[in-house]
Amino acid sequence: MIPVLSVTSECVPLVKTGGLADVAGALPGALAGHGVEMRTLLPGYPSVMKAQPDATEVVQIENYFGGTAKIRRGSLGEAVLYILDAPHLFDRDGSIYLGPDGRDWSDNPIRFAALSNAAALIAAKGLDGWRPQIVHMHDWQAALTPVYLRQMGVQDVRSLLTIHNIAFQGIAPPDLMGRMGLEPQGFTRDGFEYWGRISALKAGIVYADKVSTVSPTYARELMREEFGMGLQGVLSDRGGDFLGILNGIDEEVWRPPYKAPTGKAKLKAALRAEFDLPEANGPLCVVISRLTAQKGLDLLLDALPSLLGNDGQLALLGSGDGRLEQQYREAAARHKGVAVHVGYDEALSHRMIEGADAILVPSRFEPCGLTQLYGLRYGTLPVVAATGGLADTVIDANPAALARGVATGIQFHPVTAQALSAALEQLCALYRNPKVWARCTRNAMAQPVGWESSAGEYAALFEAMTAG
Ligand code: ADP
Ligand code: GLC
């Protein structure tokens, strides 16, 4: 078994703000059958400490980034979980990233420097009689690890950085270098310096042995100015060391209670009742999403007439941007075919995927995206922007795919309200043709969306990294 330490700022079932948590939570189990023993390092937020009351102290570190820290050993399913219990950094109510004012905690660079440094310490010295050969870092919060490994003189541990979202780069002012435990030699253009500031994500991209992101298309997109958010050059420089591996979903958690899409009828009626939507002849569409600019849901507001004009309906579950929340509430008040639930609700998200005909994901960029995969599994046809992982996972119902009987959803491009409108028209037309619709939904349900194939890709990568 190859020992791998996964370092992440979120992980289901303990703490989640987005898809990263699902991926970090699923990988250890998915990799166990592929010769990889993955253990996870996670900050000791209140939710984590509460859920792991029996986690035992393995080591105590004094003067650790401003206070005393402990590393505790708990469990994540069958796998080992290490918790960085540092109350001065992580014992705070509310969001794990944001303070009560809705802005990033001002010491976020320090908090996650401490996480990355703990990973490097475990890799350097081992813990618990166990020492990883590879550190698998997720996003900027873990990306400084290879810098600390270098500073500690560790040469026999490899590292993989997985980018889930390039929009967050862990930028910090240079005067924090000392408090972050970073040696100034690294503060150069080919190190962790980025336009005069510290960039944790850039550090990871530059120093990790391999860099990956969560779909092949997004890997290509990230090397373009349009998507790279300033890091396209640094990523391109990594050449063949930068790759895309698609996410999967947990097929136990997301298991449809029916064998064929026809089994939806009752669930759909229940969903309509729950959202107070009337019977209708068009498709019932859902959105389950963070409400941010990334997700393109402002475009859907403009494209709504194409859905409603065909007697289609929309039920949206989401939270985030206050203005979008308000606009959706207004849309629901104006149209009887629109219903909105502002909030975060996992049980409801399951009922929506089960009962709906289609799921809409009009993202401007989407590294992988998980909700379209849920849709596929439940025969809830995804209508997606042709970008990132959305482009890689949905087979567009174009004439060729329809003729061959392989379509599983609809892709649209460019990501504009106009193109989304056209896609919604197309969806409604498809829905009016029960035979073709049935074929597409059956195809969707048959498409593999679990971890099997991607776990194999990660395992092969880990093997290659440790060979020789
Ligand atoms: P991202 O990580 O960018 O938010 P993903 O599609 O990868 O996008 O993952 C989002 C995850 O969060 C999915 O599991 C989705 O079901 C869940 N999710 C997002 N918003 C909500 C919500 N309001 N209620 C319940 N689950 C949500
Ligand atoms: C990010 C991306 C999303 C991806 C998730 C898990 O939050 O926005 O596309 O599915 O990470 O990798």
Side-chain angles (χ1 to χ4, degrees):
M1 296 287 265
I2 304 175
V4 179
L5 180 67
S6 161
V7 191
T8 179
S9 58
E10 37 185 290
C11 185
V12 292
L14 300 164
V15 53
K16 164 165 169 174
T17 74
L20 161 62
D22 297 276
V23 174
L27 270 180
L31 285 165
H34 289 268
V36 174
E37 189 201 0
M38 180 174 272
R39 299 188 178 190
T40 301
L41 175 68
L42 185 69
Y45 312 111
S47 68
V48 175
M49 300 303 291
K50 223 171 117 192
Q52 302 267 322
D54 302 327
T56 50
E57 177 180 334
V58 189
V59 64
Q60 172 160 323
I61 324 170
E62 305 297 337
N63 290 324
Y64 194 72
F65 293 85
T68 300
K70 290 170 182 160
I71 297 178
R72 295 182 183 277
R73 180 190 164 121
S75 58
L76 186 64
E78 305 278 296
V80 172
L81 174 73
Y82 292 121
I83 303 166
L84 178 61
D85 175 14
H88 58 293
L89 301 172
F90 302 121
D91 185 11
R92 300 175 189 181
D93 290 335
S95 152
I96 57 174
Y97 304 128
L98 311 177
D101 58 357
R103 295 199 200 175
D104 284 0
W105 293 107
S106 61
D107 61 348
N108 273 353
I110 314 280
R111 298 169 75 218
F112 296 105
L115 178 71
S116 305
N117 189 268
L121 283 173
I122 295 173
K125 299 185 188 162
L127 190 68
D128 234 6
W130 181 86
R131 187 170 173 231
Q133 284 179 18
I134 295 177
V135 180
H136 184 186
M137 311 166 274
H138 296 280
D139 275 349
W140 77 266
Q141 290 90 345
L144 284 170
T145 308
V147 180
Y148 298 118
L149 283 173
R150 285 182 161 226
Q151 292 183 182
M152 292 172 196
V154 179
Q155 289 178 349
D156 58 348
V157 174
R158 306 271 77 86
S159 54
L160 165 67
L161 170 70
T162 297
I163 301 172
H164 297 264
N165 202 330
I166 198 102
F168 303 102
Q169 303 186 353
I171 303 288
D175 53 13
L176 281 188
M177 226 176 311
R179 281 181 67 200
M180 291 169 74
L182 295 171
E183 291 169 3
Q185 310 73 292
F187 192 67
T188 62
R189 272 183 64 171
D190 28 341
F192 53 75
E193 185 262 357
Y194 184 72
W195 298 102
R197 296 192 286 173
I198 301 164
S199 165
L201 192 65
K202 185 187 165 200
I205 296 171
V206 171
Y207 293 115
D209 293 294
K210 299 277 179 189
V211 180
S212 73
T213 187
V214 287
S215 69
T217 293
Y218 192 59
R220 286 191 297 275
E221 288 173 344
L222 275 182
M223 290 188 276
R224 305 200 336 236
E225 197 178 340
E226 197 188 340
F227 290 96
M229 298 198 188
L231 292 172
Q232 58 277 6
V234 193
L235 282 164
S236 303
D237 286 348
R238 292 303 316 252
D241 287 333
F242 175 46
L243 69 162
I245 301 179
L246 214 50
N247 288 333
I249 59 169
D250 188 325
E251 292 175 302
E252 289 307 312
V253 176
W254 295 95
R255 180 174 288 284
Y258 42 81
K259 288 244 155 33
T262 43
K264 269 179 185 294
K266 263 195 189 148
L267 298 161
K268 181 151 110 183
L271 182 60
R272 281 207 169 106
E274 181 164 5
F275 270 93
D276 228 353
L277 287 166
E279 276 296 307
N281 291 321
L284 170 56
C285 299
V286 291
V287 168
I288 300 159
S289 185
R290 292 185 290 121
L291 301 181
T292 66
Q294 172 189 346
K295 302 295 179 180
L297 292 166
D298 49 322
L299 306 177
L300 179 57
L301 284 166
D302 293 334
L304 273 179
S306 300
L307 181 65
L308 303 176
N310 286 294
D311 211 14
Q313 296 173 321
L314 173 73
L316 174 137
L317 166 63
S319 59
D321 181 281
R323 183 148 169 242
L324 270 174
E325 288 178 359
Q326 188 51 32
Q327 286 172 321
Y328 272 100
R329 282 197 180 102
E330 283 165 17
R334 216 168 325 125
H335 306 288
K336 66 178 180 8
V338 178
V340 170
H341 183 100
V342 172
Y344 184 93
D345 187 334
E346 237 153 83
L348 176 58
S349 75
H350 271 84
R351 295 196 293 280
M352 291 171 76
I353 302 268
E354 271 170 17
D357 296 302
I359 178 156
L360 314 180
V361 195
S363 308
R364 293 194 163 83
F365 69 94
E366 196 62 78
C368 179
L370 298 177
T371 60
Q372 86 281 10
L373 300 178
Y374 306 153
L376 288 171
R377 182 138 165 87
Y378 285 71
T380 305
L381 290 197
V383 177
V384 303
T387 186
L390 302 173
D392 289 339
T393 52
V394 174
I395 303 172
D396 179 45
N398 56 41
L402 286 174
R404 282 172 44 227
V406 296
T408 63
I410 293 174
Q411 293 195 10
F412 65 93
H413 189 79
V415 192
T416 58
Q418 207 181 3
L420 174 56
S421 290
L424 292 172
E425 296 279 356
Q426 194 193 344
L427 177 81
C428 296
L430 207 61
Y431 189 75
R432 285 192 291 266
N433 187 336
K435 237 174 111 185
V436 183
W437 183 268
R439 182 69 197 258
C440 292
T441 51
R442 276 200 315 270
N443 292 343
M445 287 186 80
Q447 188 173 318
V449 289
W451 272 106
E452 202 36 43
S453 132
S454 299
E457 286 184 52
Y458 275 109
L461 177 63
F462 292 148
E463 233 164 81
M465 288 169 72
T466 50

